[in-house]
Amino acid sequence: MRLLRCCFGIRRKFIIFPLLLILLVGAALTALLPPAEDHGGVVGVLGVLRRAAPQKGNPAQAQLADTSEEEKFTIIIQTYNRTDILLRLLNHYQAVPHLQMIIIVWNNIREETPGKLWESLGPHPVQVIFKEQASNQMRNRLQPFPEIATNAVLMLDDDTLVSVPDITFALSVWKQFPDQIVGFVPRKHVSTAGGVYSYGSFELQNPEAAGGDMYSMVLIGAAFFHQRYLQLFQDQPKQKLLKVRPNP
């Protein structure tokens, strides 16, 4: 029993001394703290913490929101007699990030658009607007539609499906060259000895360079460009616009 008491006494000493040491260190640290009066008491300290916390109306956060709006783009698709394919394309492009709106240029004259059918399949994250046309012309898609609220426009043919990663990559490239047309389908033109231009793909040979790898243009059937070019096209003299051949 004495041995047990001795051991208990030793354990109690080992417990008491660390507690005293902790109390002494705590008292010393408390003495180093500034008085609460310097901050107006507890209320003042809480006020300092509140001022340090981010505010909901932070201008930096608003700037980030504006930037995200600028990163969005609009898709324009002109279609004619391809309703089944069009609905598949609309469903595919709903998953594209930064897409604000899809505008469908409806060239099926005097035929009802599939707008109601599309809405019945919703809800959809991206709004789709159908623009009915009075005539079936290829240049109908080159209108500055008032619904366009983005600088970037992606124009697509109604039989073209571009993958989501490819669209994201093309958009990132276009942001570096916003005054250029950035697309997926290149073409070239060459002039003959008689001054006549020939238009074709990579197999078209240039009489001067004899090469087949000199692209000079990008087709807008799958391309990004700035929305201001739509207005610039409409501002061209009427004689030039009439040279744009209608869709056969």
Side-chain angles (χ1 to χ4, degrees), residues 5 121 133 248:
R5 290 181 180 177
L121 302 175
Q133 304 300 304

Side-chain angles (χ1 to χ4, degrees), residues 130-147:
F130 289 85
K131 307 291 288 188
E132 299 183 56
Q133 304 300 304
S135 59
N136 180 22
Q137 295 182 336
M138 184 66 76
R139 64 172 180 263
N140 287 344
R141 58 183 174 177
L142 299 174
Q143 302 178 56
F145 300 105
E147 292 84 0

Side-chain angles (χ1 to χ4, degrees), residues 31-234:
L32 296 176
L33 293 175
E37 289 77 7
D38 294 345
H39 298 288
V42 177
V43 177
V45 174
L46 293 177
V48 172
L49 295 176
R50 291 192 186 99
R51 288 193 295 269
Q55 302 297 321
K56 293 183 179 180
N58 194 334
Q61 296 177 353
Q63 184 176 2
L64 289 176
D66 293 339
T67 303
S68 63
E69 288 294 331
E70 294 178 357
E71 291 180 351
K72 295 183 178 181
F73 67 99
T74 303
I75 285 181
I76 298 179
I77 301 176
Q78 180 166 281
T79 184
Y80 179 76
N81 283 347
R82 285 174 175 168
T83 302
D84 293 341
I85 298 178
L86 176 65
L87 293 177
R88 296 178 184 178
L89 292 177
L90 292 179
N91 185 65
H92 168 74
Y93 292 128
Q94 290 291 312
V96 179
H98 307 300
L99 177 58
Q100 185 180 60
M101 179 184 298
I102 301 177
I103 296 178
I104 304 300
V105 182
W106 185 254
N107 273 7
N108 287 34
I109 311 304
R110 292 183 295 276
E111 291 186 16
E112 185 178 359
T113 71
K116 293 181 179 180
L117 175 59
W118 172 251
E119 292 298 330
S120 67
L121 302 175
H124 307 287
V126 179
Q127 182 182 9
V128 177
I129 297 178
F130 289 85
K131 307 291 288 188
E132 299 183 56
Q133 304 300 304
S135 59
N136 180 22
Q137 295 182 336
M138 184 66 76
R139 64 172 180 263
N140 287 344
R141 58 183 174 177
L142 299 174
Q143 302 178 56
F145 300 105
E147 292 84 0
I148 301 176
T150 62
N151 289 331
V153 171
L154 174 59
M155 187 161 289
L156 296 167
D157 287 340
D158 60 352
D159 59 350
T160 302
L161 190 149
V162 184
S163 69
V164 174
D166 286 340
I167 291 178
T168 302
F169 174 71
L171 178 61
S172 66
V173 174
W174 178 85
K175 289 178 181 178
Q176 302 177 52
F177 308 95
D179 295 329
Q180 306 296 326
I181 299 177
V182 177
F184 300 91
V185 186
R187 288 292 186 270
K188 61 184 294 186
H189 72 278
V190 298
S191 58
T192 62
V196 179
Y197 286 99
S198 297
Y199 161 84
S201 188
F202 66 91
E203 73 278 358
L204 187 64
Q205 299 295 311
N206 190 329
E208 298 179 359
D213 57 351
M214 298 177 58
Y215 294 125
S216 58
M217 65 184 73
V218 176
L219 302 187
I220 60 174
F224 276 99
F225 56 86
H226 199 285
Q227 58 92 9
R228 68 171 178 268
Y229 289 129
L230 297 173
Q231 185 61 52
L232 290 175
F233 178 80
Q234 297 298 325

